Amino acid sequence: MVQKRSLPLFFTTAEIQIKEDNGEMGNYRCLVDGHGYIYTKDVVQDIFEQIKDFYERNDINDIVIECNDEEAIEGYLNETYRLKGVKKHEDGKFLIPEARFKHKKFNPEKRDWSFNCHWCGNKVSSKTDKDYYVVNDYRLDIGVERACSEDCARLIWKDGFKNWVNEKGYTKYFHI
């Protein structure tokens, strides 16, 4: 498990030209902050000293891939499901977000109709029931699936989410 704590600095590289003693222009790259100010040598050396051990690891590429995958998953879930932060289990893995479904009421003005719950198979009818639930999430490849109860709707959504995790190869990032 990897836990991160960010440095308070933002930097990028910039090209700078400096007139050399012989009168020619030399091209160099330096580190600058978000406003374009060049960092001092002491600051840059301090940054390098702090990150040196990390970048000298033999497994650095695997760690970078894993950290970036976690960031991408968390960003996707926060954006897609408008979460205020994806919850994590105590083992550091993501928890499955809360199920998304709609509660619908049968319209007594329309013709009678029925369906079988996509989870448990129970028959739901406008003649005998007042309401039902609809799960539909194209991002998880869940078409319109109807359920007889909140519990069944949650299970349909959770199953679809687990399938998405498996299809994307994200099983090591989720506590399922």
Side-chain angles (χ1 to χ4, degrees), residues 3-18:
Q3 292 184 334
K4 294 179 290 191
R5 198 182 72 190
S6 299
L7 293 172
L9 301 174
F10 172 79
F11 63 90
T12 187
T13 60
E15 189 172 310
I16 186 170
Q17 293 183 332
I18 301 173

Side-chain angles (χ1 to χ4, degrees), residues 143-161:
V144 176
E145 295 195 17
R146 293 180 180 91
C148 65
S149 67
E150 279 188 46
D151 289 339
C152 284
R154 280 186 175 81
L155 291 168
I156 290 168
W157 194 87
K158 185 176 183 180
D159 193 50
F161 193 89

Side-chain angles (χ1 to χ4, degrees), residues 67-81:
C67 288
N68 289 341
D69 282 351
E70 279 188 36
E71 284 294 319
I73 292 167
E74 186 168 6
Y76 175 80
L77 293 176
N78 281 331
E79 183 179 319
T80 303
Y81 294 107

Side-chain angles (χ1 to χ4, degrees), residues 43 51 62 95 106 127:
V43 170
I51 65 175
D62 294 334
L95 293 173
F106 284 110
K127 289 180 182 179

Side-chain angles (χ1 to χ4, degrees), residues 58-170:
N58 291 332
D59 58 351
I60 184 63
N61 290 332
D62 294 334
I63 290 171
V64 168
I65 289 168
E66 184 174 327
C67 288
N68 289 341
D69 282 351
E70 279 188 36
E71 284 294 319
I73 292 167
E74 186 168 6
Y76 175 80
L77 293 176
N78 281 331
E79 183 179 319
T80 303
Y81 294 107
R82 293 177 181 86
L83 302 172
K84 290 185 172 73
V86 181
K87 294 178 182 168
K88 289 191 174 186
H89 187 265
E90 60 193 29
D91 64 6
K93 293 182 177 185
F94 296 117
L95 293 173
I96 294 175
E98 196 171 311
R100 305 290 177 150
F101 55 87
K102 291 181 182 173
H103 177 241
K104 300 275 197 166
K105 292 195 178 290
F106 284 110
N107 185 346
E109 303 294 316
K110 293 191 175 183
R111 67 176 172 84
D112 289 331
W113 65 282
S114 65
F115 64 90
N116 290 331
C117 175
H118 283 103
W119 186 259
C120 70
N122 285 343
K123 185 173 183 174
V124 179
S125 171
S126 61
K127 289 180 182 179
T128 57
D129 298 291
K130 295 177 188 170
D131 52 10
Y132 62 99
Y133 299 85
V134 176
V135 181
N136 181 20
D137 194 325
Y138 68 90
R139 295 168 293 253
L140 302 179
D141 203 24
I142 301 173
V144 176
E145 295 195 17
R146 293 180 180 91
C148 65
S149 67
E150 279 188 46
D151 289 339
C152 284
R154 280 186 175 81
L155 291 168
I156 290 168
W157 194 87
K158 185 176 183 180
D159 193 50
F161 193 89
K162 285 180 180 180
N163 288 339
W164 176 81
V165 167
N166 288 324
E167 287 171 11
K168 295 289 187 180
Y170 293 156

